[in-house]
Amino acid sequence: MNTPKKIDISTWNRREIFNFFKDFDEPFYGLTVNVTCTKAFEYCKATTCSFFLYYLHASLKAINQTTAFKYRIKEDAVYLYEQINASPTIDKPDGTFGFSYMNYHPDFEEFQKIANLEIDRVRGRAPLIPAVGGENVVHFSSLPWIKFTSLSHARHYAYKDSCPKISFGKVFETNGQLEMPVSIHVHHALVDGKEVSQFIDLFQKLLETPPY
């Protein structure tokens, strides 16, 4: 259903960039931006839907419209996935967290049903078991207690990973608007700053136009 398309690197327009960065010890780079989320927050408050799931879905929708975020590296080959899903961390009743796997659905209501079932499953499970979802995911985390300006990730360098990592921070008010910090880390062999900017612009547009 989601069989990836193998990219012919020999004719790929970013072949030289890919070959330059793919073997770096640390090929990921990251940046942090603040996105305006006033309308999305107010919409969720008025409709009593989860703000977390709303912005998670909006970010997934933007990811699935940004081709560079859908590339993955496997055994030195590059694949393009038709659909990218979510693997967010979920808080648990005992104060710890668990890993989850949520299939993307373009309709928010349908995605919310999928996500809530997965949240219930994770919160009801004791062991910390990494989510099983393959390469076609983005690793998400949320730190709603912290208005961060930068962020780094724990990395297992022996494991070849090319999945983007996105973290959301504490909502805060500035000049009468609500904003939220978003940290984005991507593999430089696959994604450049221009593509990160495209994702941010799409994500921001979705947050400003609820219900999208």
Side-chain angles (χ1 to χ4, degrees), residues 29 38 43 57 83 90-91 99 114 141 161 167-168 195:
Y29 72 96
T38 308
Y43 172 78
H57 183 258
Q83 177 175 301
I90 300 297
D91 64 295
F99 298 113
I114 294 168
S141 58
D161 177 23
S167 300
F168 307 98
E195 288 79 24

Side-chain angles (χ1 to χ4, degrees), residues 16-169:
E16 293 182 353
I17 298 172
F18 171 76
N19 287 328
F20 181 79
F21 285 109
K22 70 180 180 67
D23 294 323
F24 272 37
D25 292 332
E26 174 52 295
F28 278 79
Y29 72 96
L31 53 85
T32 300
V33 297
N34 293 328
V35 295
T36 302
C37 58
T38 308
K39 292 182 179 180
F41 188 88
E42 291 176 346
Y43 172 78
C44 292
K45 185 177 181 180
T47 59
T48 68
C49 68
S50 165
F51 180 56
F52 165 66
L53 291 183
Y54 194 85
Y55 67 65
L56 178 64
H57 183 258
S59 65
L60 265 182
K61 185 179 281 284
I63 285 163
N64 277 281
Q65 294 177 24
T66 308
T67 300
F69 278 66
K70 300 164 73 175
Y71 289 126
R72 298 293 183 271
I73 302 171
K74 186 174 182 180
E75 297 176 354
D76 286 334
V78 178
Y79 295 86
L80 175 63
Y81 281 88
E82 180 181 350
Q83 177 175 301
I84 299 299
N85 302 311
S87 182
T89 55
I90 300 297
D91 64 295
K92 300 176 75 172
D94 64 359
T96 63
F97 69 89
F99 298 113
S100 69
Y101 176 79
M102 302 172 182
N103 281 320
Y104 171 67
H105 194 288
D107 180 75
F108 172 64
E109 295 301 326
E110 290 301 317
F111 173 75
Q112 189 170 220
K113 294 175 184 176
I114 294 168
N116 280 325
L117 287 173
E118 178 66 352
I119 289 171
D120 289 342
R121 185 188 71 82
V122 172
R123 286 177 174 168
R125 184 187 64 198
L128 182 69
I129 301 173
V132 178
E135 295 292 325
N136 63 315
V137 298
V138 168
H139 298 139
F140 290 99
S141 58
S142 181
L143 293 83
W145 324 274
I146 305 172
K147 179 187 171 184
F148 58 73
T149 56
S150 65
L151 187 144
S152 62
H153 290 274
R155 289 285 309 279
H156 182 23
Y157 289 103
Y159 175 71
K160 297 297 183 180
D161 177 23
S162 59
C163 298
K165 302 165 197 324
I166 298 178
S167 300
F168 307 98

Side-chain angles (χ1 to χ4, degrees), residues 7-16 18-19 76-78:
I7 301 300
D8 184 353
I9 296 176
S10 67
T11 60
W12 198 22
N13 66 335
R14 62 177 297 110
R15 178 184 68 252
E16 293 182 353
F18 171 76
N19 287 328
D76 286 334
V78 178

